[in-house]
C-alpha cells in the first residue's frame, strides 16, 4: 500500500518544512503504508529537512529531465533531486501531458533516466472524458502503459483526467476494472488518483487491484492526508 501526496504548485519551502515536520511520524501510525510526498522543486530540500533523518516518509520530485545536465532552462535532473535527498519522482502527470506538451516518448525517457539513476518512479496514465465517452479508454491506457519501462522500482498511477481536481471520483468498479486492465499489460503496483479524499479512500483502496493512491488536493492538509493514509493501513490489516 502506497499513499503519495502530489502538492502540485502549492507550498513554498517554509510551508513545506512545517508540513513535513507535522507528518514525519505518519508511518508509525500507519506502519503498513509507504508514504510519499511530492513537493514543488523549490521545496524538495525543505521537505527532506522537515521530515528529518529518521522519518520513513519519502520525498519525490514531481518531474525530472531525461538528461543529467545541460542547457534545459526550467528543468531539474535526477542527480539534483538525489542530491537534496529525494528517492523518487513522478513522471507523466496529466497536467504535464495536457499543459506542457509531455508525450508518451518524453515520459518514457524521463522514467528510464530516473530508474537508471536509482530513483523510484510513479508514472501517471489516464484517459480524458472525451476518450472514455468515445470508448477509447483501454486503447489510450494501452498506448501510455506500453511506453513505460518495466522495472521493479516503477509503479503506475491510474488517474482518469476527468477525475483530477474535479471532485468526480471514479467509481470503485471503474477503478478496479482499469487497474486490472493496466496490470494485464504491465504487472506492477497500480495507484488510483482522482479526487481521493478521506470519505472515499477506504472504498477505493479496498478494491483488489488498487494498491494505493496518488492524492492531490486532499494531500495539502495534514489532517486529510493522515486520514487517507490510515484508510490505506486499514485495508492491509
Ligand atoms: C493529482 O494531482 O494527481 C490528483 C489526483 O489530484 P486530486 O486528488 O486533487 O484530484
Amino acid at each position: 500500500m502506497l499513499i503519495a501526496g502530489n502538492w502540485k504548485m502549492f507550498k513554498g519551502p517554509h510551508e513545506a518544512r512545517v508540513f513535513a515536520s507535522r507528518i514525519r511520524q505518519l508511518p508509525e501510525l500507519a506502519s503498513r503504508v509507504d508514504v510519499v510526498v511530492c513537493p514543488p522543486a523549490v521545496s524538495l530540500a525543505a521537505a527532506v529537512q522537515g521530515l528529518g533523518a529518521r522519518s520513513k516518509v519519502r520525498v519525490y520530485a514531481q518531474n525530472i529531465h531525461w538528461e543529467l545536465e545541460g542547457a534545459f532552462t526550467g528543468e531539474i535532473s535526477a542527480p539534483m533531486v538525489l542530491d537534496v535527498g529525494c528517492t523518487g519522482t513522478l513522471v507523466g502527470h496529466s497536467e504535464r501531458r495536457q499543459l506542457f506538451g509531455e508525450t508518451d516518448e518524453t515520459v518514457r525517457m524521463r522514467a528510464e533516466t530516473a530508474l537508471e539513476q536509482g530513483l523510484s518512479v510513479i508514472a501517471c496514465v489516464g484517459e480524458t472524458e472525451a476518450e472514455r465517452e468515445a470508448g477509447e479508454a483501454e486503447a489510450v491506457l494501452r498506448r501510455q502503459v506500453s511506453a513505460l519501462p518495466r522495472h521493479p522500482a516503477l509503479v503506475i498511477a491510474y488517474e482518469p483526467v476527468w477525475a483530477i481536481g474535479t471532485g468526480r471520483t471514479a467509481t470503485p468498479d471503474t477503478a478496479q476494472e482499469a487497474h486490472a486492465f493496466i496490470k494485464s499489460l504491465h504487472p506492477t503496483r497500480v495507484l488510483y488518483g482522482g479526487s481521493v479524499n478521506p470519505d472515499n479512500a477506504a472504498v477505493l483502496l479496498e478494491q483488489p487491484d488498487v494498491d494505493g493512491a496518488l492524492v492531490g488536493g486532499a494531500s495539502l492538509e495534514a489532517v486529510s492526508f493522515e486520514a487517507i493514509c490510515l484508510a490505506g493501513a486499514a485495508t492491509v490489516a
Side-chain angles (χ1 to χ4, degrees):
M1 179 64 54
L2 168 58
I3 307 291
N6 173 19
W7 295 358
K8 311 193 186 202
M9 199 172 73
F10 294 96
K11 298 193 191 298
H14 175 72
E15 220 186 317
R17 187 178 283 105
V18 171
F19 186 96
S21 65
R22 162 88 200 261
I23 62 159
R24 71 179 150 207
Q25 302 302 339
L26 203 43
E28 274 75 64
L29 291 174
S31 58
R32 293 172 294 271
V33 180
D34 298 322
V35 181
V36 167
V37 292
C38 309
V42 73
S43 303
L44 292 170
V48 171
Q49 287 157 14
L51 288 166
R54 285 198 298 277
S55 177
K56 296 198 188 91
V57 177
R58 302 280 174 230
V59 179
Y60 284 18
Q62 294 178 10
N63 203 12
I64 58 114
H65 198 265
W66 52 88
E67 295 291 344
L68 303 187
E69 60 182 3
F72 301 105
T73 302
E75 294 281 327
I76 58 171
S77 71
M80 291 172 188
V81 304
L82 284 161
D83 195 11
V84 296
C86 293
T87 58
T89 186
L90 301 181
V91 296
H93 192 279
S94 67
E95 286 151 17
R96 302 298 318 170
R97 293 179 190 261
Q98 297 212 304
L99 303 174
F100 300 101
E102 197 78 69
T103 65
D104 292 335
E105 176 64 3
T106 56
V107 173
R108 181 189 64 74
M109 292 194 292
R110 292 180 199 276
E112 279 179 354
T113 298
L115 294 163
E116 279 163 20
Q117 294 299 308
L119 290 166
S120 298
V121 168
I122 299 174
C124 306
V125 301
E127 80 286 356
T128 63
E129 182 159 37
E131 288 163 344
R132 176 158 284 269
E133 279 173 3
E136 294 165 2
E138 288 201 348
V140 170
L141 292 176
R142 184 186 299 280
R143 195 197 70 227
Q144 293 177 341
V145 169
S146 307
L148 299 174
R150 302 275 176 121
H151 192 286
L154 181 138
V155 307
I156 294 175
Y158 169 59
E159 299 208 301
V161 178
W162 45 271
I164 297 180
T166 59
R168 280 182 59 202
T169 318
T171 65
D173 286 350
T174 303
Q176 167 58 28
E177 194 183 336
H179 283 225
F181 178 68
I182 290 167
K183 287 187 188 185
S184 75
L185 304 171
H186 190 134
T188 186
R189 288 202 281 181
V190 181
L191 316 181
Y192 170 76
S195 298
V196 175
N197 62 44
D199 294 329
N200 61 28
V203 67
L204 288 160
L205 293 170
E206 274 163 9
Q207 300 305 308
D209 290 309
V210 176
D211 305 310
L214 179 54
V215 186
S219 74
L220 296 174
E221 295 293 335
V223 171
S224 51
F225 189 55
E226 285 170 5
I228 294 167
C229 292
L230 291 172
T235 67
V236 286

